[in-house]
Amino acid sequence: MKTLTISRWTLPAAGVALVASAAIAISMGPAQAADTMTVHVKQASVADHAGDCPDGVTGAHFVINQIASGPASIDVELADGSSQTVPKSKQSGPVAHYDVWFTGTLVKDATAVVPNTWRGQFVLSNYYCGPSTSTTSSSSSSSSSSSSSSTQPTS
């Protein structure tokens, strides 16, 4: 029969090892985090298109290039404080496309989660222009709203 000898340092050393292991595991986060990164839309592209639609904006088109398979969605923050999660509208070769619809505001920022090896560009390609549908009359607003959805361009 073997005898197990425990010195006065065995338990404290085991406790330190356990705490160190837990700290390393927590700092690593989920396995996906090491493989991806969150990127923001190129702010110059947002500023470049701010005056594109003098009669109003009905939406925006974003692209992420140099990516074999773009993320399933992006998050868009609008200047009015609202935000939308926008699904990918199509993948065309190495370019992922995203269309978001809104009126009465502009894009403030957008984010996407991409592979950490990605080196492309994430840009606001263009705004979709059209008359603003916001009015003070509720009946006018609902009829404008339905007509604006039928005039949205398809990608």
Side-chain angles (χ1 to χ4, degrees):
M1 173 180 251
K2 285 187 136 189
T3 304
L4 176 63
T5 305
I6 299 177
S7 73
R8 68 181 199 169
W9 300 108
T10 303
L11 289 177
V16 168
L18 181 62
V19 168
S21 297
I24 290 170
I26 290 170
S27 69
M28 290 176 60
Q32 178 184 2
D35 299 336
T36 62
M37 62 183 172
T38 299
V39 295
H40 289 263
V41 67
K42 186 176 180 181
Q43 284 299 307
S45 70
V46 173
D48 286 349
H49 295 291
D52 285 358
C53 301
D55 292 331
V57 175
T58 59
H61 180 76
F62 293 88
V63 296
I64 302 175
N65 67 16
Q66 298 179 21
I67 194 160
S69 179
S73 64
I74 62 171
D75 291 314
V76 177
E77 182 182 351
L78 300 173
D80 68 1
S82 65
S83 62
Q84 295 184 33
T85 297
V86 181
K88 180 170 52 175
S89 57
K90 73 176 180 178
Q91 181 78 35
S92 178
V95 181
H97 299 260
Y98 303 84
D99 294 301
V100 58
W101 307 106
F102 53 85
T103 58
T105 190
L106 296 173
V107 170
K108 179 178 178 184
D109 194 17
T111 57
V113 177
V114 297
N116 63 2
T117 56
W118 175 77
R119 298 293 177 254
Q121 299 252 345
F122 176 27
V123 298
L124 170 62
S125 174
N126 59 277
Y127 278 117
Y128 293 116
C129 300
S132 175
T133 60
S134 59
T135 67
T136 55
S137 166
S138 62
S139 64
S140 190
S141 176
S142 64
S143 66
S144 294
S145 179
S146 64
S147 67
S148 74
S149 64
S150 64
T151 61
Q152 294 172 353
T154 57
S155 299

